[in-house]
Amino acid sequence: MEIKGQVAEFIYKNDSNSYTIALLEQDNGDYITVVGYLPFIEEGDTLKLLGKMVVHQEYGEQFKIDTFEKLMPENTKALEKYLGSGAIKGVGPATAERIIKKFGDDTINIFKFEPLRLAEVKGISKDRAYEIGEEFNEKWELWQIVGFLEKFGVSSNNSKRVYDALGKDAVQKIEENPYVLIDIVYGIDFNKIDKIALSLGISKNNDDRIKSGIKYALLTSSYNGNLCVKKENLEEFISQNLEVSEEEIENNLINLKVQEEIVVEERETGGTWIYLYPMYKVEKNISERLIAIKNSRNIKFIKSFEKDLNSQESILGIKLSEMQIEAINQINDNNVSIITGGPGTGKTTIIKVLLEIYKLHGRKVVLCAPTGRAAKRMSEATGEDAKTIHRLLEIGKIEDDKIHNVDVNVTPIDGDVIIIDEMSMVDSFLMNYIVKAIYLGSKVVLVGDSNQLPAVGPGNILQDLIESGKFATVSLNKIFRQAAKSKIIVNSHNVNQGISFIGNNSKNEESLEDFFYINEQAQENMLNQVLSLCNGRLKNYGNYDFFKSIQVLTPTKKGILGTKELNNNLQNILNPKSSEKLEKQYGQVVFREGDRVMQVKNNYDIYWEKGSSDSFKTYENGTGIFNRRAWKNYEDKYAR
C-alpha cells in the first residue's frame, strides 16, 4: 500500500545504514509509526512510502517500508516546517518563517533557480544565500537517487553507499555506465544491471560490460569458496553468458590487469589463474606474513621443555602418545606449527599441556576460535579464557562484502603463544586479519581437523597450509581410550579412511551405545523413525530430551524428509497447538510459544525493545539480533 506524510519525529536511526523508526504525520493529522531504511531523510521531509502494515506484538500497528520517494513539500506550511527542522544548515524556525513570508508559494523556485535572492531576507547574507541554495539543491539530488536506483535492484539501504561512492553526480554516472554498481553494491544482480544497460543502448561488446562481467564472475565464484578461477574456465563462462569473442575477453583481462583490478598468475605446476585483486592480496598477505613469523628468531624457545613435559605428564596424570609428544616438541622448536587430527585424537590434551608449560615460564598463552561455541568449548576443556577471533582482534562487525574490508584495522594480539582452534572454519579474510595482528617473535599454533568441510568464506586455509609442506605439521591418528568408547568417533575415522562404519548387526540397538544405524528404504518409514526417536524413544538409551539434547539433520529442504515438513511434523507431536500457548503465522509457517528456533540470518543494525517501558526492571532495548554464536563474538563490543 502507499501512504504519504511528513516526518514528525525520529524514534531511532542507525547512522551507518539508515535503518529508521519514525513517526509520520499524515495529511489528516494522524500519526503512524514507520520502520525501514530511510537514507538522506530529515525531520520535516515529506515522503511517499510503499510497503505494508504489520502488527508489532508490543507496539501495535506499524508501516513496514519497502521503498520510498521523497517529495517536495506540497504547501507553504509543510515547506516552512521542513526548513525550520534544521534540514538546511543555518536555517531555523525563525528564518524559515521569514523566507516563507517573503516568497510564499514561489519559495521552492527561489531555492532552485534564484538562491541569491534569499539575501533579501533579514539575517541572510549573499554568501550565506548561495550556501543555502547549494545545500538545498544537493539534497534535491539525494531525493531522486533512491527511486532511480530501485529499478536497478538497489535497495534503499544500499543507496547511501552508492551516493557516498559516486557523489552528487551519481545518477548521471550510473546512466553513463550502469555497470559501476557492480563494484559498489555487494550481491547485486549482474543480469538485471546488464538487461537495463543493453536497453539503454550499450553494446554487447562494450568494454565496461565485459570488465564488469569478468569481475562479477570472479566474485560469484568466491561465494563457492574460491579465491581464483582457471583462465580457460573463466573465458568460457564469459563467452557463453555475455556472447562476446575470446579476443574481446582477452583485451579486457589485460585492461583489468593494468588497472590492478585483477591478478593473472602463471603457476609452476601449470595453468593460468585469475584473481580479483583483493583476493590475491589476502592470499599474498597470509603467505608472506606466516613465512615472516616462521623465519623470525625463536625467542620463546624453552630450554627445559623436555623436562617440563615429563613433569606435566606426572602432574596431570596422563601418558602422552609419541605423536602428541612430537607435536608438543614441534611447537617449542618452531614459530608456526600445525596440529591436525580427527575427534578423539588428543588435540585438546596437547593444548592443556602447552598451557601449563608456558604458564610455568611466565609466558602468556592466548586461546581463540572462529565461533562462540568453539571458544566456549575450548574454555571448558582447558579452564582458561578463550575468545572468538573477532572479539580478540576487536574488529566487531565485518560487512558481508568482505572484499571491501581487506585492510580493516585490527588490534595486535598481546601474547607469546597464540593457539587457534577449529582452524578448518577460518576463511582467507579472517586469516588475513589474524596474521596482521601477530607480532614477529610470537608463536602460532593452528589446531583443527583437515578432514572437515572448509570454511564458508573463500579459501581452504588449514588444508592448503598442510599441503604446502612449508610449516611443521603433525597429523594425529590414534584414537584414545576414552574417545574409542564412542562409536560416533570411531565411525568418523572409519569413513575418512574409506572403511565401512560399524553397523547394527543385531536387533539390540543398545549394543551400539551412542551410535546406531537404521536401514529404511521407504520415506514414510524414515519419517516415522525420526518422529519416534525424537518423541521419547531415545530415553531408552539416556536422558535425552528433544528440546535440550536432540538435533535432526537432513540434507534437503523439500519433501517429507526436508526441513519444512520435518519441522512441521515435529512441532505437531512435540509442541502441539494449545489455547494456553501464543502463536504467530508467518507465510505458511506457524511459530508457537515453546518452539525451538534458529536465527539463520544476523541483523546487526535492527533496533529492538523488550518488556514494558513502564517498568525499568523488565524493559530492555538495543540494536542487533544474532544467534548465540554471533552474540558471543560481539557481546563485549556492543554491550549496553
Side-chain angles (χ1 to χ4, degrees):
M1 61 183 290
E2 177 186 303
I3 61 171
K4 286 200 304 184
Q6 200 165 17
V7 178
E9 179 186 347
F10 287 122
I11 298 171
Y12 168 80
K13 187 167 187 178
N14 185 305
D15 292 332
S16 64
N17 72 351
S18 302
Y19 182 82
T20 302
I21 303 173
L23 282 179
L24 191 80
E25 182 181 2
Q26 297 176 281
D27 292 341
N28 61 6
D30 290 343
Y31 289 86
I32 185 171
T33 303
V34 297
V35 295
Y37 293 96
L38 291 175
F40 322 123
I41 297 304
E42 309 287 345
E43 286 187 9
D45 285 349
T46 302
L47 305 178
K48 180 171 74 174
L49 305 175
L50 293 175
K52 59 186 175 184
M53 295 301 302
V54 296
V55 179
H56 190 281
Q57 187 173 344
E58 295 181 32
Y59 303 107
E61 281 196 332
Q62 299 176 337
F63 188 84
K64 186 177 180 182
I65 304 163
D66 290 330
T67 187
F68 73 95
E69 181 182 346
K70 188 170 177 177
L71 306 173
M72 290 299 292
E74 295 177 340
N75 53 57
T76 54
K77 182 182 177 184
L79 181 57
E80 183 179 339
K81 187 173 181 181
Y82 167 70
L83 294 173
S85 69
I88 305 297
K89 188 178 179 182
V91 179
T95 304
E97 184 180 0
R98 289 197 294 270
I99 292 172
I100 296 297
K101 189 174 181 180
K102 173 71 177 175
F103 299 111
D105 293 338
D106 204 32
T107 301
I108 287 177
N109 288 330
I110 296 295
F111 271 103
K112 290 182 69 177
F113 305 115
E114 299 180 272
L116 291 178
R117 285 194 60 193
L118 292 168
E120 298 174 17
V121 176
K122 184 182 177 181
I124 301 178
S125 66
K126 282 191 175 182
D127 287 344
R128 185 68 195 120
Y130 176 80
E131 290 171 0
I132 291 172
E134 191 174 55
E135 184 176 350
F136 183 91
N137 285 303
E138 184 176 326
K139 288 182 181 292
W140 170 257
E141 291 292 328
L142 291 179
W143 297 355
Q144 314 305 309
I145 196 169
V146 174
F148 174 76
L149 288 173
E150 191 178 67
K151 66 181 181 182
F152 291 93
V154 179
S155 60
S156 57
N157 56 311
N158 278 317
S159 56
K160 188 174 187 298
R161 173 178 288 179
V162 175
Y163 179 80
D164 290 343
L166 300 179
K168 62 182 181 180
D169 298 324
V171 171
Q172 181 183 339
K173 290 175 180 175
I174 294 166
E175 284 178 333
E176 292 170 356
N177 175 21
Y179 299 104
V180 72
L181 292 170
I182 300 294
D183 295 327
I184 301 171
V185 183
Y186 177 81
I188 196 169
D189 185 349
F190 174 83
N191 294 322
K192 189 167 188 174
I193 300 290
D194 193 40
K195 187 176 180 180
I196 294 173
L198 293 173
S199 72
L200 292 173
I202 292 177
S203 63
K204 284 190 174 182
N205 62 353
N206 178 280
D207 286 340
D208 287 327
R209 177 176 186 258
I210 298 170
K211 285 189 287 190
S212 291
I214 291 169
K215 289 187 287 184
Y216 183 75
L218 292 169
L219 188 61
T220 302
S221 181
S222 76
Y223 302 156
N224 295 322
N226 302 304
L227 286 162
C228 58
V229 175
K230 271 192 172 181
K231 184 182 177 185
E232 57 264 35
N233 293 345
L234 178 65
E235 288 178 335
E236 182 182 353
F237 178 83
I238 297 298
S239 176
Q240 290 178 357
N241 284 272
L242 269 61
E243 298 179 357
V244 292
S245 69
E246 188 176 324
E247 181 182 355
E248 289 165 333
I249 297 170
E250 190 67 42
N251 288 337
N252 280 285
L253 285 172
I254 293 170
N255 289 335
L256 286 170
K257 182 180 177 183
V258 170
Q259 294 162 3
E260 294 190 339
E261 293 191 67
I262 65 168
V263 174
V264 181
E265 183 182 72
E266 303 285 349
R267 294 191 179 171
E268 294 177 2
T269 54
T272 303
W273 297 78
I274 312 291
Y275 291 80
L276 282 171
Y277 180 74
M279 302 287 189
Y280 181 80
K281 187 177 180 181
V282 159
E283 195 164 82
K284 193 167 184 285
N285 287 351
I286 294 168
S287 59
E288 289 181 349
R289 187 66 181 173
L290 281 176
I291 291 294
I293 295 168
K294 171 190 171 184
N295 293 338
S296 298
R297 194 161 62 90
N298 190 357
I299 58 177
K300 310 300 181 188
F301 181 82
I302 297 173
K303 292 182 179 178
S304 61
F305 200 81
E306 189 173 342
K307 177 183 173 185
D308 296 335
L309 181 55
N310 292 331
S311 175
Q312 286 304 316
E313 278 190 295
S314 177
I315 292 170
L316 296 172
I318 58 174
K319 180 64 179 174
L320 298 169
S321 70
E322 290 183 11
M323 295 295 285
Q324 286 178 306
I325 293 171
E326 181 185 341
I328 294 170
N329 282 321
Q330 158 187 289
I331 292 163
N332 190 41
D333 294 336
N334 297 276
N335 286 333
V336 180
S337 302
I338 301 170
I339 301 170
T340 183
T345 53
K347 299 189 296 293
T348 302
T349 300
I350 290 172
I351 294 173
K352 288 166 70 174
V353 172
L354 284 170
L355 271 168
E356 296 304 322
I357 293 176
Y358 283 113
K359 278 165 58 180
L360 190 66
H361 290 270
R363 302 276 199 248
K364 183 177 180 180
V365 180
V366 174
L367 304 177
C368 62
T371 68
R373 180 175 291 182
K376 182 179 179 182
R377 194 165 56 238
M378 204 176 184
S379 293
E380 291 170 346
T382 62
E384 300 289 333
D385 182 43
K387 296 180 179 179
T388 62
I389 295 169
H390 286 76
R391 183 176 162 193
L392 177 66
L393 302 179
E394 297 184 5
I395 54 179
K397 176 194 171 186
I398 297 296
E399 299 288 345
D400 288 336
D401 53 340
K402 294 180 181 179
I403 193 168
H404 293 143
N405 290 287
V406 174
D407 296 316
V408 67
N409 291 324
V410 297
T411 300
I413 300 174
D414 177 22
D416 299 303
V417 183
I418 297 99
I419 301 176
I420 307 170
D421 200 10
E422 299 289 3
M423 263 300 300
S424 62
M425 297 184 193
V426 176
D427 66 26
S428 295
F429 285 92
L430 187 54
M431 191 64 183
N432 177 50
Y433 306 147
I434 293 168
V435 296
K436 283 176 65 175
I438 296 173
Y439 290 112
L440 296 182
S442 296
K443 286 183 176 291
V444 184
V445 184
L446 309 177
V447 183
D449 184 355
S450 61
N451 287 315
Q452 285 189 16
L453 289 172
V456 174
N460 190 6
I461 294 294
L462 181 61
Q463 189 65 41
D464 287 350
L465 290 178
I466 293 170
E467 290 180 358
S468 74
K470 300 290 185 182
F471 304 99
T473 302
V474 170
S475 296
L476 305 171
N477 52 25
K478 178 183 177 183
I479 305 175
F480 286 88
R481 185 177 62 183
Q482 194 68 25
K485 292 180 180 178
S486 169
K487 298 298 188 294
I488 296 172
I489 290 177
V490 171
N491 281 321
S492 69
H493 284 268
N494 286 350
V495 170
N496 282 335
Q497 295 169 31
I499 302 171
S500 296
F501 57 74
I502 300 171
N504 186 3
N505 296 320
S506 71
K507 299 279 186 180
N508 182 9
E509 293 171 351
E510 191 173 6
S511 66
L512 295 170
E513 298 166 357
D514 64 351
F515 178 96
F516 53 91
Y517 172 65
I518 302 171
N519 188 353
E520 291 285 1
Q521 301 298 319
Q523 291 193 19
E524 289 284 353
N525 291 346
M526 294 180 199
L527 175 62
N528 291 333
Q529 291 278 13
V530 171
L531 297 178
S532 172
L533 288 163
C534 293
N535 194 25
R537 181 168 146 208
L538 279 174
K539 289 185 177 179
N540 295 328
Y541 312 101
N543 187 25
Y544 297 117
D545 174 75
F546 175 80
F547 291 96
K548 294 179 181 178
S549 49
I550 297 175
Q551 183 68 51
V552 181
L553 304 178
T554 181
T556 182
K557 289 184 177 180
K558 297 181 179 180
I560 67 170
L561 295 175
T563 52
K564 294 179 180 178
E565 287 297 320
L566 272 173
N567 280 329
N568 191 36
N569 282 297
L570 286 167
Q571 182 189 53
N572 288 338
I573 65 167
L574 296 164
N575 190 28
K577 186 177 181 67
S578 167
S579 59
E580 298 177 358
K581 294 179 181 178
L582 295 172
E583 62 180 48
K584 179 178 178 64
Q585 184 159 345
Y586 185 83
Q588 300 298 313
V589 181
V590 173
F591 291 92
R592 185 170 297 135
E593 186 179 357
D595 282 344
R596 284 174 66 180
V597 296
M598 178 166 61
Q599 185 80 18
V600 296
K601 185 175 182 181
N602 300 323
N603 186 330
Y604 299 94
D605 305 306
I606 193 170
Y607 175 78
W608 57 265
E609 293 179 322
K610 180 181 179 183
S612 171
S613 57
D614 298 329
S615 171
F616 177 77
K617 290 183 179 180
T618 62
Y619 179 74
E620 291 181 85
N621 67 356
T623 304
I625 296 176
F626 333 90
N627 61 34
R628 286 188 177 182
R629 293 188 192 184
W631 173 249
K632 292 297 289 183
N633 290 358
Y634 300 103
E635 59 183 348
D636 282 3
K637 189 79 174 174
Y638 298 106
R640 288 186 295 279

